[in-house]
Amino acid sequence: MSVPVPRGPAVATPPAARVPRRRERGVAGLLLAGPFALLLAGTVLAPVLYALYLSLFTERLAGLGFDGPRQVFTAMGNYAAVLGDRAFHDSLGNVALFALVHIPVMLGAALLLALLLDSAVVRLRQLWSLAVFLPHVVPVVIGGLVWAYLYSPGIGPLAAVLPFDPLSDVGVLPSVVNMATWQWTGYNMVIFYTALQAVPREVVEAARADGAGPVRVALSVKVPMVRPTAFVALVFTVIGSLQLFTEPLVLRGFTGSVTSTWTPSLYVYEAAFIAGDHGRAAAASVLLAVVCAALSALVMRLSARRSG
Amino acid sequence: MIRSRWTSVPAVHLVLLLAALYSLLPLVWLATSATKSLGEFSTTSPFELGQWHLGANLAALFAQEGGIFLVWVGNSAFYAGGGAVLGALICAACGYAIAKTRFPGRRLLFALTLAGVLVPTTALALPLYLLASQLRVVDTALAVFLPLLTNPFGVYLARVYAEAAVPDEVLEAARVDGAGELRTFFAVALPMMRPGVVTVLLFQFVGIWNNFFLPLVLLTDPELFPLSLGLFQWSTRQSQFPQYTPLVVTGSLLAVLPLVVAFLVLRRQWRAGLAAGSAR
């Protein structure tokens, strides 16, 4: 099967330059950019094109099936199959519910903690920010395993303390939300705190001089000024939520309540590597990538407009 | 100025303390649990130390399946260490080339790099696997190493750093002194970009150390697994074989420690990278 591998800029030779120095500079540029250009072409661009190609084909057994499966062009058939698949709908429903709880809780907590760190009265600022950021440096798999143990009756304390079973059918959603919130609150807190540092002190002082209390200053002066940062964080969190994969996969080893197609990413994994339906898996992953890219493009457009 | 109850000094610190406890207690649990035998998980309270079983747990961990845990540690160190050093250098060279040299296709390369930032790993995993199997490199270190090496966001950062930290006059001066273009990059520009390159290196190290999806898809030979994949695979067995639980717990603690140490030592680079990340 021929795969259209996009050529990087490495093929074209620079136009004959009058100054040999300039040509040397062009060649040096190619040499320096070449390794990355090849990596990008081989490990990102070629796979993306290949996924698009795969998504248009399906495997059918020809005749009595003795010849093995044959690749058959289906045009949008795989996309239709994915969009009509109950399991795919359920996976979208799960990440939608997850995002609905996780995003306000996590970003709200991150913003609150950043405002507290930025307030005038706080002591040991460095210590708090280090402590809350630390979960972010824990690998997602390890963080997932630690929480899964904490949820497990007989091993961790949470099953006995919580009013519900964190590994039951209704319990896994809050459990996964908690895993992601633990990992990402500190990261976004530091992002917000960095943005708050850029708020001009004179503006804050002026508001104080006008008699605004600390809460009023935070809500009416500081929060509006970090709104662009919050917007970017929001979109990246939405994209991250859409791609939710590792936390539910880890939990699958501890409870049967997480199905093999619990999130869209798990759906892709299941279709590709368990069901072996490459066309359907490719179509689902293309759909997922298009939604993520559209959201990213939206945030880039909006932030460019703001700074431009 | 009147302060309400909710913004009093103790209230502010109480909230921060709760957040810090929520963040740290799971890691404290991991550390205390690594000292327990399997039976002690149910007989001791969660944050209490066990009968100091840590030595036995470590011995069991290193002996399991012919000492494969140490192989995983070595693999992770190789993928993350080699990938970070080589990847940061590749990113720096490409970012510098895009910012400071003129070559045909420069704009196209940068546009494709930005597009590459947007592509989720989920969309790459299956085609990478199929491409690797056609090239007969599935289940080789190379198949997982090359995709992990590719860091479009690192190139974007390196370009920003090259523009900010390397003045054109300095490059001109080096050229006047007769330095070749490649020599100018390695001897003049790269040292000036060093803080930025260290940030890229750090983020790529952590990114590769944490990466799970690609090894999960591309590797089946346990001898090639990174730590996170190996521990995950053990964790899927523990519902049938509970003796894996102390192994996974102790192994997880050992997997977290190098990152915590790297983070504490290199705090400043972290912050610089996060600031750059928030501006993207």
Side-chain angles (χ1 to χ4, degrees), chain B residues 70-88:
Chain B
L70 279 178
V71 175
W72 295 341
V73 172
N75 290 342
S76 274
F78 168 72
Y79 296 136
V85 171
L86 201 57

Side-chain angles (χ1 to χ4, degrees), chain A residues 123-137:
Chain A
R123 310 258 152 203
L124 303 171
R125 201 166 272 145
Q126 183 114 28
L127 181 75
W128 304 119
S129 77
L130 278 182
V132 178
F133 186 79
L134 206 57
H136 189 70
V137 305

Side-chain angles (χ1 to χ4, degrees), chain B residues 211-229:
Chain B
N211 195 298
F212 171 68
F213 202 176
L214 284 178
L216 173 73
V217 165
L218 293 169
L219 299 175
T220 51
D221 178 5
E223 293 284 329
L224 296 172
F225 282 4
L227 260 178
S228 53
L229 182 54

Side-chain angles (χ1 to χ4, degrees), chain B residues 64-106:
Chain B
Q64 182 75 19
E65 287 164 39
I68 195 137
F69 183 79
L70 279 178
V71 175
W72 295 341
V73 172
N75 290 342
S76 274
F78 168 72
Y79 296 136
V85 171
L86 201 57
L89 195 63
I90 288 172
C91 288
C94 188
Y96 168 83
I98 290 174
K100 293 291 173 181
T101 68
R102 301 283 171 269
F103 60 90
R106 190 175 59 97

Side-chain angles (χ1 to χ4, degrees), chain A residues 95-96 98-99 102-103 236-245 263-264:
Chain A
V95 286
F98 166 85
H102 169 62
I103 293 173
F236 281 116
T237 309
V238 171
I239 293 171
S241 302
L242 271 173
Q243 296 179 35
L244 186 66
F245 178 76
T263 70

